[in-house]
Coordinates of all heavy atoms in Angstrom, one line a residue:
F61 N 84.0 122.9 94.1 CA 84.2 122.3 92.8 C 83.4 121.1 92.6 O 83.2 120.6 91.5 CB 85.7 122.0 92.6 CG 86.1 120.7 93.3 CD1 85.9 119.5 92.8 CD2 86.8 120.8 94.6 CE1 86.3 118.3 93.5 CE2 87.2 119.7 95.3 CZ 86.9 118.4 94.7
K62 N 82.8 120.5 93.7 CA 82.1 119.3 93.6 C 80.9 119.4 92.5 O 80.5 118.4 92.0 CB 81.5 118.9 94.9 CG 82.5 118.6 96.0 CD 83.5 117.5 95.7 CE 84.2 116.9 96.8 NZ 85.2 117.8 97.5
R64 N 81.0 120.6 89.6 CA 81.4 120.2 88.2 C 81.2 118.8 87.9 O 80.8 118.4 86.8 CB 82.9 120.5 88.0 CG 83.3 121.9 87.9 CD 84.8 122.0 87.7 NE 85.2 123.3 87.8 CZ 85.2 124.2 86.8 NH1 84.8 123.8 85.6 NH2 85.5 125.5 87.0
G65 N 81.5 117.9 89.0 CA 81.3 116.5 88.8 C 79.9 116.1 89.0 O 79.4 115.2 88.4
M66 N 79.2 116.8 89.9 CA 77.9 116.4 90.2 C 76.9 116.6 89.0 O 76.0 115.9 88.8 CB 77.4 117.2 91.4 CG 76.4 116.5 92.3 SD 76.9 114.8 92.8 CE 78.1 115.1 94.1
A69 N 77.4 113.4 87.1 CA 77.0 112.2 87.8 C 75.4 112.2 87.8 O 74.8 111.2 87.6 CB 77.6 112.1 89.1
I82 N 73.2 108.3 96.4 CA 73.8 108.3 97.8 C 75.3 108.7 97.7 O 75.9 108.4 96.6 CB 73.7 106.8 98.4 CG1 74.0 106.9 99.9 CG2 74.6 105.8 97.6 CD1 73.5 105.6 100.6
C83 N 75.8 109.3 98.7 CA 77.3 109.5 98.8 C 77.7 109.6 100.2 O 76.9 109.8 101.1 CB 77.6 110.9 98.1 SG 76.9 112.3 98.9
A84 N 79.0 109.3 100.4 CA 79.7 109.7 101.7 C 80.3 111.0 101.5 O 80.7 111.3 100.3 CB 80.7 108.6 102.0
S85 N 80.5 111.8 102.5 CA 80.9 113.1 102.3 C 81.6 113.7 103.5 O 81.2 113.5 104.6 CB 79.8 114.0 101.8 OG 80.2 115.3 101.6
T89 N 80.5 117.4 99.1 CA 79.8 116.5 98.1 C 78.4 116.3 98.5 O 77.5 116.3 97.7 CB 80.5 115.1 98.2 OG1 81.9 115.2 97.7 CG2 79.8 114.1 97.2
A90 N 78.1 116.3 99.8 CA 76.8 116.2 100.3 C 75.9 117.4 99.9 O 74.8 117.2 99.4 CB 76.8 116.1 101.9
A93 N 75.5 117.1 96.0 CA 74.6 116.0 95.6 C 73.2 116.4 96.0 O 72.2 116.2 95.2 CB 75.0 114.8 96.4
F135 N 85.2 109.4 107.3 CA 84.7 109.5 105.9 C 85.0 108.1 105.2 O 84.1 107.6 104.5 CB 85.5 110.6 105.1 CG 85.3 110.5 103.7 CD1 84.2 111.0 103.0 CD2 86.2 109.8 102.9 CE1 84.0 110.9 101.7 CE2 86.0 109.6 101.5 CZ 84.9 110.2 100.9
L139 N 82.3 105.9 103.3 CA 82.5 105.6 101.8 C 82.3 104.1 101.6 O 81.6 103.7 100.7 CB 83.8 106.1 101.3 CG 84.0 105.8 99.8 CD1 83.0 106.5 99.0 CD2 85.4 106.3 99.4
V142 N 78.5 103.2 101.8 CA 77.7 103.7 100.7 C 78.0 102.9 99.4 O 77.1 102.7 98.6 CB 77.7 105.2 100.5 CG1 77.2 105.9 101.7 CG2 79.0 105.7 100.0
V143 N 79.3 102.5 99.3 CA 79.6 101.7 98.1 C 78.9 100.4 98.1 O 78.3 100.0 97.2 CB 81.2 101.5 98.0 CG1 81.5 100.4 97.0 CG2 81.9 102.8 97.7
E152 N 72.1 105.1 93.3 CA 73.2 105.4 92.5 C 74.3 106.1 93.3 O 74.0 107.1 94.0 CB 72.7 106.4 91.4 CG 73.3 106.5 90.1 CD 73.8 105.3 89.3 OE1 73.1 104.2 89.3 OE2 74.8 105.4 88.7
L153 N 75.5 105.6 93.2 CA 76.6 106.2 93.9 C 77.1 107.5 93.2 O 77.4 107.4 92.0 CB 77.8 105.2 94.1 CG 79.0 105.7 94.9 CD1 78.7 105.7 96.4 CD2 80.2 104.8 94.6
V154 N 77.2 108.6 94.0 CA 77.8 109.8 93.3 C 79.1 110.3 93.9 O 79.4 111.5 93.8 CB 76.7 110.9 93.2 CG1 75.6 110.6 92.3 CG2 76.2 111.3 94.6
N155 N 79.7 109.5 94.6 CA 81.1 109.8 95.1 C 82.0 109.8 93.8 O 81.6 109.4 92.8 CB 81.6 108.8 96.1 CG 81.1 109.2 97.5 OD1 80.2 108.5 98.0 ND2 81.7 110.2 98.1
S156 N 83.3 110.2 94.0 CA 84.1 110.3 92.8 C 84.6 109.0 92.3 O 85.4 108.9 91.3 CB 85.3 111.3 93.0 OG 86.1 111.0 94.1
L157 N 84.2 107.9 92.9 CA 84.4 106.6 92.3 C 83.5 106.5 91.0 O 83.8 105.7 90.1 CB 84.0 105.5 93.3 CG 85.0 105.2 94.4 CD1 84.3 104.4 95.5 CD2 86.2 104.5 93.9
N158 N 82.4 107.3 91.0 CA 81.6 107.4 89.9 C 82.3 108.1 88.8 O 82.7 109.2 88.9 CB 80.3 108.2 90.3 CG 79.3 108.4 89.1 OD1 79.8 108.6 88.0 ND2 78.1 108.4 89.4
P159 N 82.6 107.4 87.6 CA 83.5 108.0 86.6 C 83.0 109.3 86.0 O 83.8 110.1 85.5 CB 83.6 106.9 85.6 CG 82.4 106.0 85.8 CD 82.1 106.1 87.3
Y160 N 81.7 109.5 86.1 CA 81.1 110.7 85.5 C 81.5 111.9 86.3 O 81.6 113.0 85.7 CB 79.6 110.6 85.3 CG 79.2 109.5 84.4 CD1 78.5 108.4 84.9 CD2 79.5 109.5 83.1 CE1 78.2 107.3 84.1 CE2 79.2 108.4 82.3 CZ 78.5 107.3 82.8 OH 78.2 106.3 82.0
R161 N 81.8 111.7 87.6 CA 82.3 112.9 88.4 C 83.6 113.4 87.8 O 83.7 114.6 87.7 CB 82.5 112.4 89.8 CG 81.2 112.3 90.7 CD 80.8 113.6 91.3 NE 81.9 114.2 92.1 CZ 82.3 114.0 93.3 NH1 81.5 113.1 94.0 NH2 83.3 114.6 93.9
L162 N 84.5 112.5 87.5 CA 85.8 113.0 86.9 C 85.6 113.6 85.6 O 86.3 114.6 85.3 CB 86.7 111.8 86.8 CG 87.0 111.0 88.1 CD1 88.3 110.1 87.8 CD2 87.2 111.8 89.3
E163 N 84.7 113.1 84.8 CA 84.4 113.7 83.5 C 84.0 115.2 83.6 O 84.4 116.0 82.9 CB 83.3 112.9 82.8 CG 83.7 111.6 82.2 CD 84.8 111.8 81.1 OE1 84.6 112.6 80.2 OE2 85.8 111.1 81.3
G164 N 83.1 115.4 84.6 CA 82.7 116.8 84.8 C 83.8 117.7 85.4 O 84.1 118.8 85.0
Q165 N 84.6 117.1 86.4 CA 85.6 117.9 87.1 C 86.8 118.3 86.2 O 87.4 119.3 86.4 CB 86.1 117.1 88.3 CG 85.1 117.2 89.4 CD 85.4 116.3 90.6 OE1 84.5 115.9 91.4 NE2 86.6 116.0 90.8
V187 N 94.7 117.6 98.2 CA 94.3 116.2 97.8 C 93.7 115.5 99.0 O 94.3 115.4 100.1 CB 95.6 115.4 97.4 CG1 95.2 113.9 97.1 CG2 96.2 116.0 96.1
G188 N 92.5 115.0 98.8 CA 91.8 114.3 99.9 C 91.5 112.9 99.4 O 92.3 112.0 99.5
N189 N 90.3 112.7 98.8 CA 90.0 111.4 98.2 C 90.6 111.2 96.8 O 90.6 110.2 96.2 CB 88.5 111.2 98.1 CG 88.0 109.8 98.3 OD1 88.6 109.0 98.9 ND2 86.8 109.5 97.7
A190 N 91.2 112.3 96.3 CA 92.1 112.3 95.1 C 91.4 112.2 93.8 O 92.0 112.0 92.8 CB 93.2 111.2 95.2
G191 N 90.1 112.4 93.8 CA 89.3 112.5 92.6 C 89.7 113.7 91.8 O 89.8 113.7 90.5
N192 N 89.9 114.8 92.5 CA 90.1 116.1 91.8 C 91.5 116.1 91.1 O 91.5 116.5 89.9 CB 90.0 117.3 92.8 CG 89.5 118.5 92.1 OD1 88.7 118.4 91.1 ND2 89.9 119.7 92.6
I193 N 92.5 115.7 91.7 CA 93.8 115.7 91.1 C 93.8 114.8 89.9 O 94.4 115.1 88.8 CB 94.9 115.3 92.1 CG1 96.3 115.4 91.5 CG2 94.8 113.9 92.7 CD1 97.5 115.3 92.5
T194 N 93.1 113.7 90.0 CA 93.0 112.7 88.9 C 92.3 113.4 87.7 O 92.7 113.2 86.6 CB 92.2 111.5 89.4 OG1 92.8 110.9 90.5 CG2 92.1 110.5 88.3
S195 N 91.2 114.1 88.0 CA 90.4 114.7 86.9 C 91.2 115.9 86.3 O 91.1 116.1 85.0 CB 89.0 115.1 87.3 OG 89.0 115.6 88.6
M198 N 93.7 114.3 83.9 CA 92.9 113.8 82.7 C 92.6 114.9 81.8 O 92.8 114.8 80.6 CB 91.6 113.2 83.2 CG 91.5 111.8 83.6 SD 89.9 111.3 84.3 CE 88.8 111.9 83.0
A240 N 87.8 118.9 104.7 CA 87.5 118.4 103.3 C 88.6 117.4 102.8 O 88.3 116.7 101.9 CB 87.4 119.5 102.4
I243 N 91.0 112.5 105.1 CA 90.7 111.2 104.4 C 92.0 110.3 104.5 O 93.1 110.7 104.1 CB 90.3 111.4 103.0 CG1 88.9 112.1 103.0 CG2 90.2 110.1 102.2 CD1 88.4 112.5 101.6
R245 N 92.1 106.9 103.4 CA 92.2 105.9 102.3 C 91.6 106.5 101.1 O 90.5 106.2 100.7 CB 91.4 104.6 102.7 CG 91.9 103.9 103.9 CD 90.9 102.8 104.3 NE 91.3 102.3 105.7 CZ 92.3 101.4 105.9 NH1 92.9 100.9 104.9 NH2 92.6 101.1 107.1
P246 N 92.4 107.2 100.4 CA 91.9 107.9 99.2 C 91.5 106.9 98.1 O 92.2 106.0 97.7 CB 93.0 108.8 98.7 CG 94.1 108.6 99.6 CD 93.8 107.5 100.6
A247 N 90.2 107.1 97.6 CA 89.7 106.1 96.6 C 90.5 106.2 95.3 O 90.6 105.2 94.6 CB 88.2 106.4 96.4
R248 N 91.0 107.3 95.0 CA 91.8 107.5 93.7 C 93.3 107.7 94.0 O 94.0 108.4 93.3 CB 91.2 108.7 93.0 CG 89.8 108.6 92.6 CD 89.6 107.9 91.2 NE 88.2 107.8 90.8 CZ 87.8 107.1 89.8 NH1 88.7 106.5 89.0 NH2 86.5 107.0 89.5
G249 N 93.7 107.1 95.1 CA 95.1 107.2 95.5 C 96.1 106.8 94.4 O 97.1 107.6 94.1
E251 N 95.7 106.7 91.1 CA 95.7 107.7 90.0 C 96.4 109.0 90.4 O 97.1 109.6 89.6 CB 94.2 108.0 89.7 CG 93.5 106.9 89.0 CD 92.6 106.1 89.9 OE1 93.0 105.8 91.1 OE2 91.5 105.7 89.5

Side-chain angles (χ1 to χ4, degrees):
F61 76 83
K62 300 298 198 297
R64 288 181 188 274
M66 209 52 77
I82 194 165
C83 64
S85 179
T89 299
F135 168 85
L139 182 59
V142 299
V143 167
E152 208 43 39
L153 182 74
V154 293
N155 278 103
S156 59
L157 286 165
N158 178 322
Y160 299 113
R161 282 275 307 275
L162 304 195
E163 284 298 309
Q165 284 172 205
V187 177
N189 212 26
N192 211 29
I193 186 172
T194 303
S195 39
M198 275 170 52
I243 292 174
R245 296 173 193 277
R248 299 272 181 186
E251 290 98 321

